[in-house]
Amino acid sequence: MTKPFKGKISLDIRDSEPDWEPFLPPQAPDGAPNVLLLSWDDVGYGTMDVFGGPVETPNMRRIADRGVKYSNFHTTALCSPTRASLLTGRNATSNGMATIAEFGAGFPGISARIPFENGFISEVLAEQGYSTYCVGKWHLTPGDETTLASFKGRWPLGRGFERFYGFLGGESNSWYPDLVYDNHQIDPPATPAEGYHLSKDLSDRAIEFIRDAKVIDPAKPFFMYLASQAAHAPHHAPPEWIEKYRGRFDMGYEAIREQTLKRQKELGLLPENTELSPINPHGEPDRTGPDGQPWPALDLVRPWDSLSPDEQRLFARMAEVFAGYVSYTDHELGRVLDYLEESGQIDDTLIVVVSDNGGSGEGGPNGSFNEWRFFNGVPDSTDLTIPHIDELGSPTSYNHYNTGWAWAFDTPFPYWKRWAGYEGGVADMCFVSWPARIDPQPEPRDQYVHAVDVVPTIYDLLGIEGPEVIKGYPQNPIEGESFAASLSDAGATAKSSQFYAMLGQRAMYHEGWLACTLHPPLSGWGKFDQDEWELYDLREDRAQSKNVAAENPEKLAELQDLWHRYAEIYNGLPLDDRTALEQILADRPHAGTDRERYEYFPDTADVPEEGGVRINGRSYKIAASVNLVDAGAEGVVFAHGGVAGGHSLYVKDRKLRYAFNWVGSHLQLVESDREIDTGEHLLVADFAVAGPSQDPQLPGFAGKLTLYIDGEAVGSSDIVTQPGFFCLVGDGICVGRDSASPVTPDYEAPFRFAGGEIAKVVVDVSGEPYLDHEAQVAAWFMRD
């Protein structure tokens, strides 16, 4: 609210008295600290050495040793929901974010649209006189609003952040990221060959943002949300960091879990009576779900001694790559801490470090050389990955470890990311440091806290209250509870209850008890009325090793009633357990106007898949009007996707070529049988779909791809297009170059078109018979 003018206004300014107070921006109180909220991604409870794990993170230890560790911190089991809670202080379903941002549905709890009545901490602190920065992963904008034509009120700058550098989607390629600077896309500042890696880039930018303002106004505090891509797939790391871990995981994940639990007890994180949860507690081969079908294979762990020597070697290498990735990112984040220390700011910086959920099981029981097989519903086998073992973590990979390592990095708990009813999905590391105000505590705090509690805790420590109105929107109540008192008082009262609903799972925590449904997330089963409810006494059994529902029916009924009560309050229904592929292909708003013909031009920003032409399951024609000036003209004409899957039309060695990279696993090439002369041409790739692929190893859509030059067929081949998307937000549609990672190793990205000009490219998905090729395609270009 604007303050009233208290000066004096006369006819002549010389006789008037000024009052600057109504016109000046808000000023933070004297002594207000900086706030650094640092979020890791897919880093399970037992991953880092600071929480007893095998991965070295000296800079995270550096923060924790100067502050307070929380051994009983919880999240939502998934990235977007946790981040929404972490930044608003409201529950995931109250935020409309009971799923990832790209999987929204038209219901209040899963719309993927955070209400403006649920203000972000960045919006609040900006009005308190803070500089506000977001660096890294966002993942809080619906997929259909991630294009340059979209409403940007749900981009970081629309939610109170004054500067943003990072990526909007759920993941990014660390070698070839899809970067957004403030409200526009940019290319990475360097290539992998030049030493580029996203972790270093994000730390560089974080330091830059802080320094830019501090050289002007050293007293003005900042709030920075620094959200690393690590350790989300793809697991990319410089080779020297991977090599640091060679041989360290050869003993296997069962042995690593035993070592980790021992250290966790020594660190005081877990009670001495804690036992390891068993391997596959529900996933025995003979177990079936409500529909009589076998338990989903993606949620099984293969015992180490059941693996072949080659598989053990492969799985150990996957862990080495992951560990190198985390340690390298810790090193780069350490440079941010170094800057704060060298500039004299670290003592008066409140630092909160969390992970957004448990380790990820999306690599399945066999791991993957390309994580996007999971999102396309394509199972993986070790036979596919072993030939690529030396490429894991490199720019040619899009890799993910297997479920055995997700289970190990979540020690001692069962399951992993997406499992909201089990501690492996929701129990995470958390530590808080503010050297000027909070004394280091050698013993971890064991109060039950949750991501939803972080915002009210920060407000409490800063001595502020959330406003009643933000930008004209009356604010909903904060649903989290401050745990600030426990920072100095180990016996402080803990919160009593926490509600969970995620991807078909249900859980309710209340006063040390946890009730949950046995319903694998993203299983596609439905039949929620047949769910089996389990009950655990976490006070005595932190690792959920014993289901005590049968012995405590009244307690189970009490928690079931609580769940239903909170589901009504927090928009917890309907439940959605559709598979990843079903979610990707579900009907929801599409950025831009759906049409039969799309036009794309060179020298424009990439178009994310959510905002571009969709070709899966359809016939399509890619037609380009080009003028080849030089005999040696070559380069990409049209590209969409990259190393994880995509397709590209390009000219090389004077021939027209088309590549379809099926889910990063099967490269299909078509080449013209004659060279292209100089001059103006119409270049066409025409795919006629015949129907679903009959090859069980290549699910998708089979058909014939034919190349045309000026209406003449010059080459054809049978190909299979993939069942789902290439990559959603990253590696978008572009003309005249292949941005980010290359679709095919036949060229080095971006392989810009040179020696000629591209007028435009038209992609037609009308399904009309392609009869008079030259006349029809020429007509598409006549409207200009």
Side-chain angles (χ1 to χ4, degrees):
M1 182 178 296
T2 303
K3 296 179 180 179
F5 179 77
K6 296 181 180 179
K8 174 185 174 183
I9 299 176
S10 301
L11 178 65
D12 190 329
I13 194 171
R14 297 170 185 81
D15 300 324
S16 303
E17 296 178 3
D19 176 16
W20 281 106
E21 192 172 0
F23 313 113
L24 294 178
Q27 300 290 313
D30 291 341
N34 304 315
V35 180
L36 175 60
L37 177 54
L38 200 163
S39 177
W40 287 82
D41 199 330
D42 290 3
V43 174
Y45 188 93
T47 302
M48 295 182 177
D49 54 3
V50 68
F51 264 59
V55 181
E56 297 173 4
T57 52
N59 289 293
M60 295 306 100
R61 293 201 311 270
R62 176 177 167 191
I63 298 171
D65 288 348
R66 302 185 71 184
V68 183
K69 293 192 290 288
Y70 282 82
S71 64
N72 211 355
F73 176 77
H74 292 78
T75 58
T76 69
L78 200 62
C79 38
S80 296
T82 292
R83 293 161 194 274
S85 295
L86 199 61
L87 291 172
T88 68
R90 282 84 171 186
N91 284 289
T93 47
S94 298
N95 284 317
M97 200 66 81
T99 183
I100 61 172
E102 295 87 355
F103 286 2
F107 302 93
I110 48 177
S111 67
R113 286 155 171 80
I114 300 174
F116 293 104
E117 290 80 3
N118 291 2
F120 279 47
I121 185 173
S122 45
E123 294 172 304
V124 173
L125 294 187
E127 292 300 316
Q128 292 284 333
Y130 275 71
S131 298
T132 54
Y133 313 126
C134 178
V135 177
K137 174 174 172 174
W138 179 241
H139 209 199
L140 294 173
T141 298
D144 59 285
E145 293 184 6
T146 57
T147 75
L148 291 185
S150 299
F151 168 65
K152 295 179 179 58
R154 282 182 271 266
W155 287 34
L157 268 61
R159 297 308 309 245
F161 288 101
E162 297 165 331
R163 303 186 74 179
F164 171 60
Y165 185 88
F167 53 99
L168 293 176
E171 66 185 37
S172 192
N173 188 318
S174 287
W175 299 116
Y176 301 100
D178 46 301
L179 292 173
V180 171
Y181 196 149
D182 292 341
N183 274 4
H184 65 280
Q185 298 168 346
I186 64 166
D187 291 330
T191 66
E194 295 167 330
Y196 181 85
H197 191 282
L198 181 61
S199 293
K200 180 179 184 303
D201 191 14
L202 296 181
S203 289
D204 286 344
R205 199 65 63 169
I207 294 168
E208 174 189 317
F209 281 5
I210 298 169
R211 182 181 286 144
D212 282 350
K214 288 290 187 178
V215 297
I216 298 167
D217 189 353
K220 185 176 183 180
F222 67 81
F223 168 70
M224 174 172 284
Y225 174 52
L226 180 51
S228 172
Q229 154 73 8
H232 199 289
H235 300 157
H236 286 156
E240 62 272 20
W241 285 86
I242 298 171
E243 286 305 302
K244 285 167 58 74
Y245 286 95
R246 184 172 287 278
R248 295 207 204 172
F249 297 94
D250 289 353
M251 67 188 69
Y253 23 79
E254 289 100 332
I256 291 289
R257 276 169 59 85
E258 292 176 359
Q259 294 179 356
T260 298
L261 179 58
K262 182 176 184 292
R263 288 190 295 265
Q264 289 171 333
K265 292 179 179 179
E266 291 169 352
L267 291 169
L269 293 165
L270 296 169
E272 282 297 325
N273 66 347
T274 304
E275 298 179 0
L276 288 170
S277 58
I279 190 171
N280 300 323
H282 304 103
E284 298 80 5
D286 60 346
R287 187 176 182 98
T288 58
D291 58 357
Q293 296 301 309
W295 192 264
L298 283 175
D299 289 313
L300 291 173
V301 173
R302 299 178 63 193
W304 191 261
D305 61 9
S306 73
L307 306 175
S308 71
D310 279 348
E311 288 176 326
Q312 290 182 350
R313 182 169 61 92
L314 173 65
F315 289 0
R317 188 59 173 173
M318 288 176 172
E320 292 166 7
V321 171
F322 173 79
Y325 180 33
V326 173
S327 285
Y328 172 67
T329 302
D330 174 83
H331 167 76
E332 292 301 327
L333 291 172
R335 294 194 301 110
V336 179
L337 302 180
D338 290 343
Y339 164 70
L340 293 175
E341 193 150 13
E342 292 162 3
S343 59
Q345 300 180 64
I346 199 162
D347 283 351
D348 215 19
T349 298
L350 170 60
I351 303 177
V352 181
V353 180
V354 299
S355 177
D356 63 352
N357 46 245
S360 173
E362 287 154 13
N366 295 314
S368 182
F369 187 64
N370 177 17
E371 177 216 12
W372 269 86
R373 292 176 68 92
F374 168 80
F375 290 106
N376 278 273
V378 180
D380 254 299
S381 75
T382 54
D383 290 342
L384 289 171
T385 308
I386 287 172
H388 299 284
I389 188 170
D390 293 331
E391 297 176 65
L392 294 174
S394 76
T396 63
S397 69
Y398 211 85
N399 52 300
H400 197 304
Y401 60 42
N402 56 307
T403 47
W405 290 119
W407 178 56
F409 293 133
D410 288 333
T411 299
F413 308 123
Y415 296 116
W416 37 78
K417 176 182 178 181
R418 297 179 284 120
W419 287 77
Y422 298 88
E423 293 285 273
V426 298
D428 287 284
M429 65 178 186
C430 173
F431 34 96
V432 180
S433 169
W434 185 6
R437 290 277 302 275
I438 299 171
D439 293 332
Q441 301 295 322
E443 296 299 321
R445 298 296 193 245
D446 62 2
Q447 283 85 352
Y448 190 100
V449 294
H450 188 273
V452 76
D453 303 321
V454 170
V455 160
T457 300
I458 293 175
Y459 290 167
D460 196 354
L461 291 171
L462 299 185
I464 65 175
E465 295 184 4
E468 295 181 359
V469 177
I470 295 178
K471 299 176 184 175
Y473 291 94
Q475 292 297 287
N476 292 324
I478 295 286
E479 294 169 354
E481 302 175 27
S482 172
F483 57 87
S486 65
L487 289 163
S488 56
D489 180 4
T493 302
K495 71 183 303 178
S496 62
S497 303
Q498 182 59 47
F499 167 83
Y500 296 89
M502 177 68 55
L503 305 178
Q505 285 206 330
R506 289 170 279 174
M508 186 71 216
Y509 170 84
H510 183 64
E511 295 180 348
W513 294 86
L514 180 74
C516 62
T517 56
L518 179 56
H519 195 111
L522 294 178
S523 63
W525 279 351
K527 302 182 181 179
F528 295 105
D529 59 331
Q530 299 180 32
D531 279 353
E532 176 185 336
W533 281 83
E534 298 179 342
L535 182 68
Y536 297 94
D537 184 353
L538 298 183
R539 299 166 301 178
E540 302 297 329
D541 178 23
R542 182 67 200 283
Q544 290 178 280
S545 60
K546 184 180 179 182
N547 173 17
V548 294
E551 300 94 319
N552 298 275
E554 293 182 359
K555 178 60 68 174
L556 177 61
E558 176 190 351
L559 267 65
Q560 287 174 308
D561 288 345
L562 274 177
W563 188 91
H564 287 285
R565 187 188 313 168
Y566 281 116
E568 184 174 351
I569 296 171
Y570 297 144
N571 299 325
L573 295 174
L575 302 172
D576 185 0
D577 72 342
R578 289 173 296 172
T579 67
L581 184 57
E582 285 180 295
Q583 298 269 13
I584 284 176
L585 299 179
D587 184 31
R588 58 176 61 89
H590 184 205
T593 305
D594 285 321
R595 49 200 186 274
E596 293 183 340
R597 195 162 294 143
Y598 293 73
E599 297 183 356
Y600 299 108
F601 300 87
D603 302 319
T604 57
D606 289 9
V607 177
E609 193 156 9
E610 286 272 14
V613 59
R614 296 181 178 180
I615 65 166
N616 50 304
R618 311 170 81 172
S619 295
Y620 57 86
K621 308 172 186 72
I622 304 169
S625 174
V626 304
N627 181 15
L628 304 185
V629 178
D630 300 332
E634 66 175 6
V636 170
V637 176
F638 170 92
H640 181 195
V643 69
H647 63 146
S648 174
L649 182 67
Y650 58 103
V651 176
K652 184 179 180 184
D653 297 331
R654 303 192 65 181
K655 290 189 175 183
L656 181 63
R657 301 185 183 188
Y658 176 83
F660 196 104
N661 180 2
W662 182 90
V663 203
S665 306
H666 182 57
L667 186 63
Q668 305 163 98
L669 298 172
V670 187
E671 182 180 293
S672 65
D673 57 16
R674 68 173 175 85
E675 295 183 347
I676 310 176
D677 298 327
T678 56
E680 295 184 354
H681 298 284
L682 289 175
L683 309 179
V684 177
D686 175 25
F687 176 70
V689 66
S693 170
Q694 300 304 305
D695 185 345
Q697 300 301 315
L698 291 175
F701 303 92
K704 185 175 289 293
L705 190 290
T706 305
L707 294 176
Y708 295 88
I709 300 176
D710 300 328
E712 179 184 349
V714 294
S716 67
S717 179
D718 293 330
I719 68 169
V720 176
T721 62
Q722 64 189 57
F725 281 11
F726 294 131
C727 50
L728 288 178
V729 177
D731 258 341
I733 297 168
C734 47
V735 170
R737 69 192 188 284
D738 185 350
S739 64
S741 65
V743 168
T744 168
D746 196 27
Y747 56 73
E748 184 176 332
F751 196 39
R752 295 183 183 277
F753 193 79
E757 296 180 348
I758 303 170
K760 69 178 178 182
V761 173
V762 176
V763 183
D764 182 86
V765 288
S766 64
E768 298 170 0
Y770 192 28
L771 301 175
D772 187 347
H773 313 290
E774 186 171 12
Q776 183 189 46
V777 177
W780 297 350
F781 295 89
M782 293 299 291
R783 288 173 294 172
D784 292 342

